[in-house]
Amino acid sequence: MNERGKQVVVLCSGGQDSATCLRWAANRWEQVYTIAFDYGQRHRVELEAAASLAKLVGVVEHRVLPVSALAALAGNALTGSDMVRTETNARSGLPNTFVPGRNLIFLTLAAAWAYQLGTSDLVTGVCQTDYSGYPDCRESTIAALSQTLQAGMEYPFTIHTPLMHITKAQSIELIRQEGGLELLAHTHTCYNGAVPPCGECSACILRARGFSAAGIPDPLLERLGRV
Amino acid sequence: MNERGKQVVVLCSGGQDSATCLRWAANRWEQVYTIAFDYGQRHRVELEAAASLAKLVGVVEHRVLPVSALAALAGNALTGSDMVRTETNARSGLPNTFVPGRNLIFLTLAAAWAYQLGTSDLVTGVCQTDYSGYPDCRESTIAALSQTLQAGMEYPFTIHTPLMHITKAQSIELIRQEGGLELLAHTHTCYNGAVPPCGECSACILRARGFSAAGIPDPLLERLGRV
């Protein structure tokens, strides 16, 4: 850990996990850069949340990259017009919120920016524990991608995944320990882009279960006067 | 090779190498799909060339995906306003036409489309032999990416790279053997987007050397009345 540079790039979607990663990174690196991706997601309010989190933590630069290709490829629930609940895609068995390769694209673009900044450390909130069927969140995928980025850009990237093997409840405990619990009041999780959150989609359900298991009220619901 | 499916996705930039891959693939698969990427490149005429090649070969579908993130990250020679010649980037030592991770992004997006089509075979014209300093064209990178795509999408992708270890002259001989030499008359290579080609940029120089070594006149220059 002593060999790390002064700078880090954190993938910041505006959700609970990226808020935790952001606080974790800000406690360990001097200069934090955040990156978010605009791929036509319906829950665009998450981009506003990402910018708020970056400002609250005091990052050097927050960048929003347009990823029009994912919107073009989509035809899926995150960018389509149907309500998202918990159905799975009949063919793949994966959740209907799955955009194939989405995290691979995001991490590769973040790495390209990090390369330009001269930064080799990346932080992302992917999590294998309750990965909801997303194969691009697993440790084996991130390890393979790390090799690919190193080879493809000839650059010594390290992808840090502090949430990989912990539960949502442990993740909430982690951000509390890191002194960032209040950040969660400014996160966005709901797949349907609703404020207050819909409480019905799989993301809302997962979030609620996490706070319940951690025995901590959700700061977002507190801020919105919902608890 | 007997286990391959009926469909294949070919990355088709509109250049000489993708034309060769396209003919090669059309001789081996029943249904060919092509994909090109619009990332704000100055040599946009190559997108027209890609569409022409796809039409000439008779693909099932030719798709152009917008990749706005690369344009946003660029600040480099391919999307900037400076003339491209043969200078290298002072910091990286790589050619100033290098967009970090560009081929990783393109292949990952092509794989996402292939996943949606139910196709596991991808063909790309990357070449290690005269790779001009692009680390994302090397066999080790493609092997790592293949692992990443398989893990990240849980899908049995195979990335075919028929040009990986051959010279430009051998590549010209290959497309001739495959019966596609005339396709080269409809390709675009020049980094400066010039028609007729500028003859001065590194891409033009590499192309001219290839035809010279192969002892075959360039069908593009013949079509334009330049030989």
Side-chain angles (χ1 to χ4, degrees), chain A residues 143-156:
Chain A
L145 179 61
S146 183
Q147 292 286 326
T148 301
L149 296 175
Q150 289 174 26
M153 302 192 205
E154 281 191 333
Y155 202 75

Side-chain angles (χ1 to χ4, degrees), chain A residues 189-209:
Chain A
T189 295
C190 176
Y191 276 145
N192 285 310
V195 181
C198 77
E200 293 181 28
C201 73
S202 56
C204 278
I205 291 169
L206 201 60
R207 178 172 175 134
R209 282 185 193 150

